[in-house]
Amino acid sequence: MAYKKTEQYEDEITSGLIKSYGEVLGLLGEDPEREGLKKTPERLAKAMQYLTQGYHLDAKAIINSAKFHEEVSEMIVVKDIEIYSMCEHHMLPFIGKAHVAYIPNGWITGLSKIARVVDVFARRLQVQERLTVDIRNCIEETLKPLGVAVVIEAQHLCMIMRGIQKQHSIATTSAFTGEFNTDKTRAEFMRLITSGSKP
Ligand SMILES: [Zn+2]
């Protein structure tokens, strides 16, 4: 399968960012004109647009484009979805995993769409708590299931590289609706996402 890399950037935004990042380099005590840094503002301008592309994507539309009527009422779990996001306080990455589940009430979506929804909300400036709720609400509002569960475990570089330098701390956040608010269903979900079985 041929993979074609297509990235599009708006010229006006890119040139504004290049100018600003050049100034940032100077303010940090660097020489923006030295060879190794010459193209850095441009690379950074493109990288930041890529990492925040979620602002321009509609997560609900992604689910609605692949919504199927299906009479299943078993829990559907997608676990270990990789998260690459940036904290809105320091604009440093936080990386980890999301585990998402829902219990259908007549409608299901493609498993890959769940992962895409996670990406759409992760590729913005975020706090982990809001990211968790954004994902939950999107699935809740589009599929109207009997319940949604989202758990995110992540490491924040702003904690690891600066400040308190807690190298191994992992933040866990969760958000539930409907049947996942009952002990039995939530326990079943937690058991499924913590079991180490890999196919
Ligand atoms: Zn931070």
Side-chain angles (χ1 to χ4, degrees), residues 5-22 38-56 86 91 123:
K5 191 178 174 188
T6 51
E7 287 172 16
Q8 286 181 338
Y9 302 99
E10 273 188 51
D11 290 345
E12 202 177 315
I13 292 170
T14 304
S15 59
L17 287 170
I18 290 171
K19 186 166 171 287
S20 298
Y21 286 137
K38 260 199 160 150
K39 295 206 77 176
T40 296
E42 184 183 341
R43 289 190 206 97
L44 184 51
K46 289 181 175 173
M48 291 306 289
Q49 288 176 82
Y50 180 84
L51 296 174
T52 56
Q53 61 184 277
Y55 291 121
H56 310 290
M86 266 187 304
M91 289 180 69
R123 294 208 190 279

Side-chain angles (χ1 to χ4, degrees), residues 51-93:
L51 296 174
T52 56
Q53 61 184 277
Y55 291 121
H56 310 290
L57 299 170
D58 183 344
K60 285 186 185 175
I62 289 168
I63 300 246
N64 286 328
S65 73
K67 204 169 139 182
F68 310 104
H69 191 70
E70 198 69 58
E71 289 303 330
V72 287
S73 52
E74 302 300 315
M75 187 187 305
I76 295 170
V77 184
V78 187
K79 69 173 195 172
D80 296 335
I81 303 167
E82 286 167 65
I83 295 254
Y84 301 100
S85 191
M86 266 187 304
C87 84
E88 67 183 16
H89 303 131
H90 307 93
M91 289 180 69
L92 287 170

